Amino acid sequence: MPVADVSNFTVGVLGVVGVMITLAVTLILPAAVRLANGSAPPQVTLGRVIGWLLVLVIYAAAGAVAALYIGDAGTEKEAVYYGMAWQAVIGGVIKSGQAFAAT
C-alpha cells in the first residue's frame, strides 16, 4: 500500500518499528546470548535503566523523523527501512549540508 494512503502517524510508527528491529538485532540479541551463556551476569542499576530508556527514546524519535520527513518512502516497507537506517539517512543529509556550506 503506498504511504500516501497512510497517515503520517502510521509512517512514524513504522519508522519506530524499523528502529526497534535494528536495536533488537544489534544490541538486545547479543546481550541475551551473553546472558544465556552466563558470560555476562546482569548488572541492572538505575543509571543503566535510564541510559537504555534514553537510547530507546532518541532512536525512536530519530527513526520516526527519518521515515516522516527526510526519507521519501513510497510504501510502508520503505518507511520501516528508513527507520532501520535512520543514522545513515540523517548523516547523509548532514554531510550534504556541510558540503553545500563549504562551496
Side-chain angles (χ1 to χ4, degrees):
M1 171 186 293
V3 172
D5 298 339
V6 181
S7 69
N8 285 341
F9 177 78
T10 304
V11 173
V13 168
L14 291 171
V16 172
V17 168
V19 166
M20 294 306 149
I21 291 169
T22 302
L23 281 175
V25 170
T26 60
L27 297 176
I28 297 169
L29 189 61
V33 168
R34 285 192 307 271
L35 184 63
N37 290 339
S39 61
Q43 297 177 355
V44 179
T45 63
L46 180 62
R48 286 181 187 249
V49 171
I50 291 172
W52 273 101
L53 290 175
L54 283 173
V55 166
L56 286 174
V57 168
I58 291 169
Y59 272 51
V65 166
L68 274 171
Y69 301 111
I70 297 174
D72 188 23
T75 63
E76 292 174 341
K77 195 183 306 185
E78 289 176 357
V80 174
Y81 294 156
Y82 279 116
M84 291 175 81
W86 72 267
Q87 292 171 325
V89 171
I90 293 175
V93 170
I94 291 171
K95 292 254 188 225
S96 66
Q98 290 173 344
F100 180 75
T103 58

